[in-house]
Amino acid sequence: MALITCKDAAFAYEGKVVVEGLNFEVAEGDYLCIVGENGSGKTTLMKGLLGLMRPKSGKIEMGDGLKPTHIGYLPQQTSAQKNFPASVYEVVISGRLNSRGAMPFYSRQDRHVALENIEKLGITPIRKKSFRELSGGQQQRVLLARALCATEKVLLLDEPVSGLDPIVTAELYQTIQTLHKDGLTIIMISHDVRSGVEHANQMLHLQNRQVFFGTAEEYVQTEAGRHFLQGGESGWK
C-alpha cells in the first residue's frame, strides 16, 4: 500500500518554481533515500511531505490514514538545538506534542511511549542529563527517539549523520536500519549517496526536477548514480 503518492507535483517560492516533475510513491516498509545537490529541491520536497508547503501544481496524497503530523521528523541540527537547556527525557517526550490535542499535560501513555523509545535507542542511562551536555552522537539518538514518539509509520530524516565521526555515523546508520527492519518506513535526505545505496531500497534523485526514481540497484546503473558513487559526491558539500 502506498503511504505517500506524489503526482506531477511542483513547488514554488513567490511564483518561482524550485522543483517540478515529481512522480513517485513511498510504500509501507520502504526505505527511500533522496539525493541531489544543494539547492536541488530536497528541502522544499521535505516541507511538502510535512504539510508545511502546498504544491504549486500536482498533488501529494497520503494513504492508510497517514497525515503529515503523523510523520516523525529528525531535522538537521542547528547550534540552537545543540544548546537546548532541557533534559533528555524532556526532549524525547516533546515528540508527543502533536498527539496531545487540547490536553494541557502529558498522559500516562505519552510517558510510556517516551520511556519505551528512550530504551529502544539505548539512552536510558543518560535520560536525566542535560541535552546540551551530550556528544553529537548522543544528541542525534535523543532527537531520533523524539521523532519516534510522533509516529508508528514513517520517519523523515534530514541529513541524520551530518557532522558525526565515522564510527558514530556507522552506529547511527545501523540503528536506522534496525528501526526499518522493525517495520518503520524511512525517508532519508542525504549527501551520502554511497550509504544511501547500501541501506535504502529506493532512490530519488533531484536536480530542480526529478532525475531518477527507482530501486537502488537501478540507480547505480544510471549516469548520475555512477558519477556520484565514483567520487562526484564530493562536489555536493
Side-chain angles (χ1 to χ4, degrees), residues 50-115:
L50 292 171
L52 303 176
M53 283 186 69
R54 291 189 175 184
K56 176 180 174 62
S57 60
K59 55 186 175 181
I60 293 180
E61 297 177 341
M62 303 281 178
D64 196 27
L66 182 68
K67 298 179 180 179
T69 53
H70 295 165
I71 297 175
Y73 173 46
L74 177 64
Q76 288 193 59
Q77 278 211 62
T78 64
S79 58
Q81 286 174 318
K82 291 178 180 179
N83 292 307
F84 194 64
S87 71
V88 166
Y89 175 77
E90 289 169 332
V91 172
V92 173
I93 200 170
S94 69
R96 297 291 294 174
L97 287 173
N98 282 337
S99 66
R100 274 171 53 194
M103 294 177 60
F105 304 106
Y106 292 114
S107 67
R108 180 181 297 179
Q109 177 65 13
D110 292 332
R111 294 191 291 272
H112 171 75
V113 171
L115 291 173

